[in-house]
Amino acid sequence: MPKAELHIHIEGSLEPQRIFALAQRNGLTLPYADVEALRAAYAFEDLQSFLDIYYAGAGVLLKEADFFDMAWDYFQRAAADHVVHAELFFDPQTHTDRGVPIEAVIIGLHHACQRAHAELGISSRLILCFLRHLSEEAAMATLEQALPLRHHFVGVGLDSSERGHPPEKFARVFARCRELGLHVVAHAGEEGPPAYITSALDVLKVERIDHGVRCTEDPALVQRLARERVPLTVCPLSNLKLCVVPDLAAHNLPQLLDAGLCATVNSDDPAYFGGYINDNFLQTFEALPQLGARQAWQLARNSFEASFVPAAQKQAWMAQLDAVFAQAADAA
Ligand code: HPA
Ligand code: ZN
């Protein structure tokens, strides 16, 4: 089924093999003996325990070619999963704070996006994320650094440690981004309370909510998200691995769809959470018998609706999706 992926941190697609290869290429020594030892450390109890390892893994990225290789690895996997459009989050502060020039980050990713289009037919966009555990001043400085490369990204997001870092901490920098004509999204309601979803909408004026699964704790908020058709980029395997849900059978994806929300399925940090986008679909559908072909179609359709591309492009992908389902129905 053709689909768009709208919630993928490109640094979260760095597989252990690639981490070791980049460490060797860059003359760095990792505190893990081998790929298996690193993978064994991927047992998370919450968002922070994951982020600590995720930022350490990203430490092997130094050169433009490293960013290119990472993203090209991702695009090849995305193509195998029938992803026709991907909106990639990247975390410049994770790299610039280590002395990596922001140009190396953005240009390396951009070249991978170009190759993905040319060789795999995948369309893509870049979304610059601010780290919410750092200050708003640091976010503003990062935005200013990135502005000469403004034509290479379409929007900004907000990620990293959610609890204790509410969206309103970034009110000014998001206002500036909106003035610049950038799309705006934010992680909210993953570990943080439903009130963070509300303030992401009201204060940051975001167009999509990343995760947002805790919205079901507030029925009025669910109604609002449905009424305003605010997309949620849900990541089931991430929710499982970060202990947001005890098991996939307890995931509220069916409730979100039943409430008429524009929910989508995405991989978040696939190298760390045990699967790419199709693994997220397959494992979630396996665990939840209420989910069937109708919901798969709806989720893929929602992913196109929620993407940051012109309406004509969305319509073309939706028609492609309908053709795939019509063909499958004929064959059945
Ligand atoms: N949540 C917050 N920050 C992140 C995530 C996430 O799931 N992945 C990478 N950075
Ligand atoms: Zn995320």
Side-chain angles (χ1 to χ4, degrees), residues 178-248:
R178 295 196 312 274
E179 274 169 19
L180 289 164
L182 287 159
H183 288 289
V184 289
V185 301
H187 284 53
E190 176 188 20
E191 280 193 343
Y196 283 17
I197 300 175
T198 303
S199 60
L201 293 171
D202 291 341
V203 181
L204 304 187
K205 305 193 192 308
V206 299
E207 299 159 75
R208 300 195 298 239
I209 296 286
D210 296 309
H211 293 294
V213 289
R214 286 191 59 191
C215 70
T216 46
E217 293 169 31
D218 179 349
L221 176 59
V222 172
Q223 281 181 4
R224 174 185 181 183
L225 293 169
R227 195 173 58 241
E228 297 179 8
R229 228 164 151 71
V230 178
L232 300 190
T233 62
V234 177
C235 308
L237 284 174
S238 168
N239 296 154
L240 176 68
K241 295 298 161 93
L242 300 185
C243 308
V244 170
V245 291
D247 55 65
L248 285 179

Side-chain angles (χ1 to χ4, degrees), residues 129-151:
C129 283
F130 301 119
L131 299 181
R132 70 201 301 158
H133 68 275
L134 301 178
S135 69
E136 185 177 47
E137 290 67 38
M140 198 67 94
T142 301
L143 176 65
E144 293 304 328
Q145 272 186 313
L147 280 186
L149 300 164
R150 162 73 181 85
H151 50 295

Side-chain angles (χ1 to χ4, degrees), residues 43 47 52 73 81 114 133 139 141-142 163 182 220 222-223 246 257-258 270 279 281 283 309 314:
L47 176 58
D52 293 342
D73 284 352
D81 280 358
Q114 281 184 318
H133 68 275
T142 301
R163 285 199 196 107
L182 287 159
V222 172
Q223 281 181 4
L257 290 172
D258 286 347
D279 299 308
F281 270 98
Q283 292 189 41
V309 301
K314 295 184 192 191

Side-chain angles (χ1 to χ4, degrees), residues 31-260:
Y32 299 94
D34 52 28
V35 163
E36 284 67 43
L38 176 55
R39 222 181 255 291
Y42 294 179
F44 314 116
E45 53 203 38
D46 58 12
L47 176 58
Q48 194 58 51
S49 63
F50 154 70
L51 289 170
D52 293 342
I53 287 204
Y54 161 86
Y55 293 129
V60 299
L61 297 159
L62 296 181
K63 304 279 194 317
E64 184 184 306
D66 304 343
F67 292 90
F68 173 88
D69 289 343
M70 168 173 68
W72 180 240
D73 284 352
Y74 165 72
F75 281 123
Q76 289 172 281
R77 289 188 156 93
D81 280 358
H82 299 274
V83 169
V84 296
H85 175 71
E87 298 186 1
L88 275 50
F89 291 141
F90 67 104
D91 288 338
Q93 288 158 294
T94 301
H95 315 299
T96 53
D97 286 358
R98 296 180 291 113
V100 176
I102 199 162
E103 293 76 19
V105 180
I106 297 180
I107 301 295
L109 297 177
H110 174 67
H111 283 156
C113 292
Q114 281 184 318
R115 184 170 174 190
H117 192 251
E119 294 185 25
L120 304 170
I122 298 182
S123 125
S124 60
R125 301 286 188 273
L126 295 175
I127 298 179
L128 182 160
C129 283
F130 301 119
L131 299 181
R132 70 201 301 158
H133 68 275
L134 301 178
S135 69
E136 185 177 47
E137 290 67 38
M140 198 67 94
T142 301
L143 176 65
E144 293 304 328
Q145 272 186 313
L147 280 186
L149 300 164
R150 162 73 181 85
H151 50 295
H152 288 314
F153 56 99
V154 299
V156 298
L158 188 63
D159 65 2
S160 187
S161 323
E162 189 179 2
R163 285 199 196 107
H165 302 284
E168 45 272 36
K169 180 176 162 186
F170 296 90
R172 280 159 299 213
V173 71
F174 269 66
R176 169 102 177 96
C177 290
R178 295 196 312 274
E179 274 169 19
L180 289 164
L182 287 159
H183 288 289
V184 289
V185 301
H187 284 53
E190 176 188 20
E191 280 193 343
Y196 283 17
I197 300 175
T198 303
S199 60
L201 293 171
D202 291 341
V203 181
L204 304 187
K205 305 193 192 308
V206 299
E207 299 159 75
R208 300 195 298 239
I209 296 286
D210 296 309
H211 293 294
V213 289
R214 286 191 59 191
C215 70
T216 46
E217 293 169 31
D218 179 349
L221 176 59
V222 172
Q223 281 181 4
R224 174 185 181 183
L225 293 169
R227 195 173 58 241
E228 297 179 8
R229 228 164 151 71
V230 178
L232 300 190
T233 62
V234 177
C235 308
L237 284 174
S238 168
N239 296 154
L240 176 68
K241 295 298 161 93
L242 300 185
C243 308
V244 170
V245 291
D247 55 65
L248 285 179
H251 201 284
N252 62 4
L253 183 62
Q255 270 170 274
L256 300 174
L257 290 172
D258 286 347

Side-chain angles (χ1 to χ4, degrees), residues 19-32 56-63 66 98 100:
I19 291 179
F20 272 85
L22 290 177
Q24 189 172 30
R25 192 160 92 186
N26 289 328
L28 302 168
T29 309
L30 295 168
Y32 299 94
V60 299
L61 297 159
L62 296 181
K63 304 279 194 317
D66 304 343
R98 296 180 291 113
V100 176

